[in-house]
Amino acid sequence: MAWLDAHSTFDADSFTAPVIGLASTLGQHDSGVHRHQRGQLLYTRQGCIRITLAQQLCLLPPSRAAWIPAGVSHRAVMQQSVDYRSIYLIADLCSELPQQVCVIEVSPLLRAVLEPMATAAFATEWQQGRFAHLLGLCLSEIAEAARQPMLLPLPQDKRLAPLLATPARLPPPLHVLEHQIGASSRTIGRIFQRETGMGYQQWRQQWRLMRAIELLATGRSLSYCAYELGFASDSAFIAFFKSLTGSTPGQWLKPATDDRPQK
Protein backbone atom coordinates (compact mmCIF):
# COMPACT_ATOMS: atom_id res chain seq x y z
CA MET A 1 0.00 0.00 0.00
CA ALA A 2 1.17 3.54 -0.72
CA TRP A 3 0.03 6.95 0.42
CA LEU A 4 0.75 9.79 -2.02
CA ASP A 5 1.04 13.54 -1.83
CA ALA A 6 0.38 15.97 -4.68
CA HIS A 7 3.97 15.79 -5.92
CA SER A 8 4.40 12.01 -5.83
CA THR A 9 4.40 9.66 -8.78
CA PHE A 10 3.37 6.04 -8.58
CA ASP A 11 4.03 3.22 -11.03
CA ALA A 12 1.98 0.13 -10.24
CA ASP A 13 3.65 -1.73 -13.11
CA SER A 14 6.99 -1.66 -11.28
CA PHE A 15 5.70 -4.21 -8.76
CA THR A 16 5.35 -7.97 -9.19
CA ALA A 17 2.40 -8.64 -6.85
CA PRO A 18 -0.88 -9.49 -8.63
CA VAL A 19 -2.71 -6.74 -6.73
CA ILE A 20 -1.36 -3.33 -5.77
CA GLY A 21 -3.36 -0.96 -3.60
CA LEU A 22 -3.13 2.80 -3.29
CA ALA A 23 -4.79 5.15 -0.80
CA SER A 24 -4.47 8.88 -1.19
CA THR A 25 -5.98 12.32 -0.79
CA LEU A 26 -4.90 14.82 -3.44
CA GLY A 27 -5.92 18.30 -4.47
CA GLN A 28 -5.36 20.14 -7.77
CA HIS A 29 -3.60 17.11 -9.23
CA ASP A 30 -3.07 16.30 -12.91
CA SER A 31 -1.72 12.83 -13.70
CA GLY A 32 -0.84 13.65 -17.30
CA VAL A 33 -1.60 11.19 -20.10
CA HIS A 34 -0.44 7.72 -19.15
CA ARG A 35 -1.39 4.04 -19.30
CA HIS A 36 -0.91 0.92 -17.18
CA GLN A 37 -0.17 -2.70 -17.99
CA ARG A 38 -2.69 -3.50 -15.26
CA GLY A 39 -6.40 -2.89 -15.02
CA GLN A 40 -7.26 -0.13 -12.56
CA LEU A 41 -10.29 0.40 -10.34
CA LEU A 42 -10.36 4.03 -9.20
CA TYR A 43 -12.82 4.80 -6.40
CA THR A 44 -13.57 8.31 -5.14
CA ARG A 45 -14.61 8.31 -1.49
CA GLN A 46 -14.99 12.08 -1.62
CA GLY A 47 -14.46 14.57 -4.43
CA CYS A 48 -14.65 14.31 -8.21
CA ILE A 49 -12.18 13.24 -10.90
CA ARG A 50 -12.31 14.19 -14.58
CA ILE A 51 -10.80 11.45 -16.75
CA THR A 52 -9.93 12.30 -20.34
CA LEU A 53 -9.66 9.46 -22.86
CA ALA A 54 -8.70 9.51 -26.52
CA GLN A 55 -12.22 10.21 -27.79
CA GLN A 56 -14.27 10.38 -24.60
CA LEU A 57 -14.68 12.43 -21.49
CA CYS A 58 -15.32 10.46 -18.29
CA LEU A 59 -16.49 11.94 -15.02
CA LEU A 60 -15.94 10.05 -11.78
CA PRO A 61 -18.36 11.47 -9.18
CA PRO A 62 -18.04 10.94 -5.43
CA SER A 63 -18.78 7.43 -4.12
CA ARG A 64 -18.55 5.86 -7.59
CA ALA A 65 -15.69 3.97 -9.25
CA ALA A 66 -14.13 3.94 -12.69
CA TRP A 67 -12.85 0.74 -14.24
CA ILE A 68 -9.94 1.42 -16.63
CA PRO A 69 -8.75 -1.66 -18.55
CA ALA A 70 -5.06 -2.28 -19.09
CA GLY A 71 -3.43 -0.36 -21.93
CA VAL A 72 -5.99 2.47 -22.10
CA SER A 73 -4.38 5.91 -22.29
CA HIS A 74 -6.01 8.34 -19.88
CA ARG A 75 -5.47 11.53 -17.92
CA ALA A 76 -6.96 12.11 -14.47
CA VAL A 77 -7.50 15.64 -13.19
CA MET A 78 -8.55 16.24 -9.59
CA GLN A 79 -9.96 19.57 -8.50
CA GLN A 80 -9.89 20.65 -4.88
CA SER A 81 -9.46 17.70 -2.49
CA VAL A 82 -10.15 14.15 -3.67
CA ASP A 83 -10.00 11.20 -1.28
CA TYR A 84 -9.64 8.07 -3.36
CA ARG A 85 -8.64 4.43 -3.38
CA SER A 86 -7.09 2.63 -6.32
CA ILE A 87 -6.62 -1.07 -7.04
CA TYR A 88 -4.32 -2.27 -9.83
CA LEU A 89 -4.85 -5.82 -11.13
CA ILE A 90 -2.64 -7.91 -13.40
CA ALA A 91 -4.16 -8.98 -16.73
CA ASP A 92 -4.85 -12.54 -15.60
CA LEU A 93 -7.32 -11.22 -13.03
CA CYS A 94 -9.20 -9.02 -15.50
CA SER A 95 -10.52 -11.56 -18.02
CA GLU A 96 -14.10 -11.39 -16.68
CA LEU A 97 -14.13 -7.63 -16.17
CA PRO A 98 -15.36 -4.95 -18.63
CA GLN A 99 -13.20 -4.45 -21.69
CA GLN A 100 -13.98 -0.74 -21.91
CA VAL A 101 -13.75 2.16 -19.49
CA CYS A 102 -16.91 2.47 -17.42
CA VAL A 103 -18.17 4.17 -14.27
CA ILE A 104 -19.92 1.84 -11.84
CA GLU A 105 -22.02 2.09 -8.71
CA VAL A 106 -20.15 0.99 -5.61
CA SER A 107 -22.19 -1.38 -3.48
CA PRO A 108 -21.75 -1.44 0.31
CA LEU A 109 -19.95 -4.78 -0.09
CA LEU A 110 -17.52 -3.47 -2.71
CA ARG A 111 -16.89 -0.37 -0.62
CA ALA A 112 -16.10 -2.53 2.41
CA VAL A 113 -13.76 -4.76 0.41
CA LEU A 114 -11.84 -1.94 -1.25
CA GLU A 115 -10.49 -0.38 1.95
CA PRO A 116 -8.43 -3.35 3.19
CA MET A 117 -7.31 -4.08 -0.37
CA ALA A 118 -6.18 -0.50 -1.01
CA THR A 119 -4.27 -0.36 2.28
CA ALA A 120 -2.77 -3.87 2.08
CA ALA A 121 1.02 -4.24 2.13
CA PHE A 122 2.70 -4.79 -1.23
CA ALA A 123 3.96 -8.15 0.02
CA THR A 124 0.41 -9.41 0.74
CA GLU A 125 -0.33 -13.02 -0.22
CA TRP A 126 -3.33 -12.84 -2.57
CA GLN A 127 -3.58 -16.52 -3.48
CA GLN A 128 -4.91 -17.77 -0.16
CA GLY A 129 -6.52 -16.79 3.10
CA ARG A 130 -8.45 -13.60 3.85
CA PHE A 131 -7.07 -11.55 0.97
CA ALA A 132 -7.89 -14.23 -1.57
CA HIS A 133 -11.52 -13.99 -0.44
CA LEU A 134 -11.45 -10.19 -0.59
CA LEU A 135 -10.04 -10.33 -4.11
CA GLY A 136 -12.72 -12.78 -5.24
CA LEU A 137 -15.48 -10.58 -3.85
CA CYS A 138 -13.95 -7.50 -5.46
CA LEU A 139 -13.79 -9.09 -8.91
CA SER A 140 -17.36 -10.36 -8.64
CA GLU A 141 -18.71 -6.99 -7.50
CA ILE A 142 -16.95 -5.10 -10.32
CA ALA A 143 -18.25 -7.53 -12.94
CA GLU A 144 -21.85 -7.29 -11.70
CA ALA A 145 -21.99 -3.59 -10.78
CA ALA A 146 -24.53 -1.30 -12.42
CA ARG A 147 -22.97 1.17 -14.84
CA GLN A 148 -23.63 4.89 -14.79
CA PRO A 149 -23.80 7.23 -17.83
CA MET A 150 -20.70 9.24 -16.98
CA LEU A 151 -18.90 8.93 -20.33
CA LEU A 152 -19.36 11.45 -23.09
CA PRO A 153 -18.07 10.73 -26.64
CA LEU A 154 -16.18 13.69 -28.08
CA PRO A 155 -16.61 14.69 -31.75
CA GLN A 156 -13.39 14.60 -33.75
CA ASP A 157 -14.59 16.69 -36.71
CA LYS A 158 -12.04 19.49 -37.25
CA ARG A 159 -14.76 22.15 -37.34
CA LEU A 160 -16.36 21.10 -34.07
CA ALA A 161 -13.54 19.80 -31.90
CA PRO A 162 -11.86 23.18 -31.20
CA LEU A 163 -15.16 24.76 -30.17
CA LEU A 164 -16.03 21.96 -27.77
CA ALA A 165 -12.57 21.23 -26.38
CA THR A 166 -12.75 23.45 -23.28
CA PRO A 167 -14.03 21.23 -20.43
CA ALA A 168 -15.71 24.01 -18.45
CA ARG A 169 -17.24 26.01 -21.30
CA LEU A 170 -20.93 25.42 -21.93
CA PRO A 171 -21.43 24.17 -25.52
CA PRO A 172 -23.47 26.75 -27.43
CA PRO A 173 -27.11 26.31 -28.44
CA LEU A 174 -27.55 24.69 -31.85
CA HIS A 175 -28.42 27.92 -33.68
CA VAL A 176 -25.25 29.57 -32.33
CA LEU A 177 -23.14 26.58 -33.32
CA GLU A 178 -24.56 26.72 -36.85
CA HIS A 179 -23.34 30.31 -37.17
CA GLN A 180 -19.93 29.59 -35.60
CA ILE A 181 -18.98 26.77 -37.99
CA GLY A 182 -21.05 27.75 -41.00
CA ALA A 183 -22.99 24.50 -41.22
CA SER A 184 -26.69 23.68 -41.10
CA SER A 185 -28.37 21.99 -38.16
CA ARG A 186 -28.87 18.92 -40.34
CA THR A 187 -25.15 18.71 -41.10
CA ILE A 188 -24.24 19.15 -37.44
CA GLY A 189 -26.75 16.48 -36.50
CA ARG A 190 -25.25 14.01 -38.98
CA ILE A 191 -21.74 14.67 -37.68
CA PHE A 192 -22.74 14.13 -34.07
CA GLN A 193 -24.76 11.02 -34.84
CA ARG A 194 -21.84 9.55 -36.77
CA GLU A 195 -19.13 10.43 -34.23
CA THR A 196 -20.93 10.22 -30.88
CA GLY A 197 -24.07 8.16 -31.50
CA MET A 198 -26.21 11.09 -30.31
CA GLY A 199 -27.82 14.15 -31.81
CA TYR A 200 -26.33 17.48 -30.81
CA GLN A 201 -29.12 18.40 -28.39
CA GLN A 202 -28.86 15.05 -26.59
CA TRP A 203 -25.07 15.36 -26.48
CA ARG A 204 -25.30 18.89 -25.03
CA GLN A 205 -27.76 17.75 -22.37
CA GLN A 206 -25.42 14.95 -21.33
CA TRP A 207 -22.54 17.45 -21.18
CA ARG A 208 -24.62 19.72 -18.95
CA LEU A 209 -25.48 16.84 -16.63
CA MET A 210 -21.86 15.78 -16.23
CA ARG A 211 -20.74 19.35 -15.66
CA ALA A 212 -23.53 19.84 -13.12
CA ILE A 213 -22.37 16.81 -11.15
CA GLU A 214 -18.78 18.05 -11.27
CA LEU A 215 -19.76 21.50 -9.99
CA LEU A 216 -21.98 20.12 -7.24
CA ALA A 217 -19.32 17.63 -6.14
CA THR A 218 -16.79 20.44 -5.75
CA GLY A 219 -19.11 22.41 -3.50
CA ARG A 220 -20.91 24.79 -5.88
CA SER A 221 -24.42 25.87 -4.96
CA LEU A 222 -27.57 25.08 -6.93
CA SER A 223 -27.83 28.73 -7.95
CA TYR A 224 -24.26 28.76 -9.24
CA CYS A 225 -24.85 25.58 -11.26
CA ALA A 226 -28.10 26.90 -12.72
CA TYR A 227 -26.39 30.10 -13.85
CA GLU A 228 -23.27 28.41 -15.24
CA LEU A 229 -25.31 25.89 -17.21
CA GLY A 230 -27.74 28.36 -18.71
CA PHE A 231 -30.91 27.66 -16.71
CA ALA A 232 -33.39 30.42 -15.95
CA SER A 233 -33.89 29.35 -12.33
CA ASP A 234 -32.86 26.88 -9.65
CA SER A 235 -36.13 25.01 -10.12
CA ALA A 236 -35.51 24.65 -13.87
CA PHE A 237 -32.07 23.22 -13.14
CA ILE A 238 -33.45 20.77 -10.56
CA ALA A 239 -36.17 19.64 -13.00
CA PHE A 240 -33.53 19.07 -15.69
CA PHE A 241 -31.32 17.09 -13.32
CA LYS A 242 -34.20 14.94 -12.11
CA SER A 243 -35.42 14.23 -15.65
CA LEU A 244 -32.04 12.69 -16.53
CA THR A 245 -31.14 10.95 -13.26
CA GLY A 246 -34.47 10.30 -11.56
CA SER A 247 -33.21 12.13 -8.46
CA THR A 248 -32.73 15.67 -7.28
CA PRO A 249 -29.11 16.88 -7.07
CA GLY A 250 -29.11 16.43 -3.30
CA GLN A 251 -30.49 12.89 -3.50
CA TRP A 252 -28.06 11.89 -6.24
CA LEU A 253 -25.00 13.07 -4.32
CA LYS A 254 -26.15 11.69 -0.97
CA PRO A 255 -24.20 8.37 -1.32
CA ALA A 256 -21.04 10.48 -1.12
CA THR A 257 -21.63 10.83 2.62
CA ASP A 258 -21.70 7.09 3.25
CA ASP A 259 -17.93 6.86 3.80
CA ARG A 260 -17.74 9.70 6.31
CA PRO A 261 -17.37 8.80 9.96
CA GLN A 262 -20.61 8.74 11.89
CA LYS A 263 -20.81 11.23 14.77
Side-chain angles (χ1 to χ4, degrees):
M1 178 272 291
W3 295 87
L4 296 186
D5 59 38
H7 304 290
S8 301
T9 58
F10 182 75
D11 181 12
D13 295 332
S14 65
F15 297 90
T16 57
V19 179
I20 295 295
L22 178 65
S24 186
T25 300
L26 295 177
Q28 303 300 331
H29 178 72
D30 186 338
S31 72
V33 179
H34 65 289
R35 67 177 70 186
H36 313 289
Q37 296 175 17
R38 297 167 177 258
Q40 178 187 11
L41 184 72
L42 179 58
Y43 166 53
T44 50
R45 302 205 315 168
Q46 188 172 350
C48 190
I49 302 176
R50 178 183 287 265
I51 304 171
T52 305
L53 308 167
Q55 296 182 352
Q56 289 179 305
L57 185 63
C58 175
L59 186 69
L60 180 53
S63 77
R64 277 75 175 179
W67 169 250
I68 306 172
V72 175
S73 293
H74 61 283
R75 173 187 178 189
V77 176
M78 305 178 188
Q79 298 179 8
Q80 300 183 10
S81 178
V82 178
D83 181 17
Y84 72 94
R85 300 292 182 261
S86 196
I87 303 293
Y88 300 88
L89 306 169
I90 60 170
D92 288 351
L93 296 174
C94 302
S95 60
E96 301 300 321
L97 301 184
Q99 299 303 302
Q100 297 178 329
V101 175
C102 58
V103 174
I104 63 172
E105 294 184 6
V106 176
S107 67
L109 178 57
L110 179 56
R111 185 167 61 246
V113 164
L114 284 175
E115 190 65 18
M117 291 182 67
T119 56
F122 293 151
T124 295
E125 173 57 64
W126 293 94
Q127 280 77 34
Q128 58 186 6
R130 173 180 180 241
F131 283 97
H133 293 300
L134 290 174
L135 175 57
L137 285 171
C138 180
L139 296 176
S140 176
E141 287 294 296
I142 296 172
E144 297 179 12
R147 301 190 187 187
Q148 298 207 330
M150 290 291 107
L151 281 92
L152 185 68
L154 298 175
Q156 303 301 303
D157 184 275
K158 63 182 180 180
R159 294 167 291 181
L160 293 168
L163 294 173
L164 305 174
T166 304
R169 182 182 298 169
L170 177 64
L174 181 57
H175 71 277
V176 175
L177 186 60
E178 289 181 64
H179 176 73
Q180 288 177 336
I181 71 169
S184 68
S185 60
R186 180 173 295 182
T187 297
I188 293 171
R190 284 199 299 265
I191 293 171
F192 267 84
Q193 196 65 48
R194 180 179 70 245
E195 298 192 356
T196 72
M198 292 182 270
Y200 179 68
Q201 301 287 23
Q202 182 185 0
W203 183 91
R204 186 173 184 265
Q205 293 293 73
Q206 181 65 18
W207 187 99
R208 292 168 102 189
L209 174 64
M210 290 175 62
R211 180 61 176 156
I213 291 169
E214 185 174 43
L215 291 171
L216 291 165
T218 52
R220 300 296 189 179
S221 67
L222 285 176
S223 295
Y224 182 92
C225 294
Y227 176 79
E228 283 292 304
L229 298 173
F231 291 96
S233 65
D234 292 5
S235 58
F237 168 64
I238 293 171
F240 157 81
F241 195 98
K242 190 170 184 179
S243 71
L244 293 184
T245 67
S247 305
T248 65
Q251 291 169 337
W252 199 91
L253 288 171
K254 189 175 181 180
T257 65
D258 289 351
D259 289 323
R260 298 173 189 169
Q262 297 297 313
K263 296 182 180 180

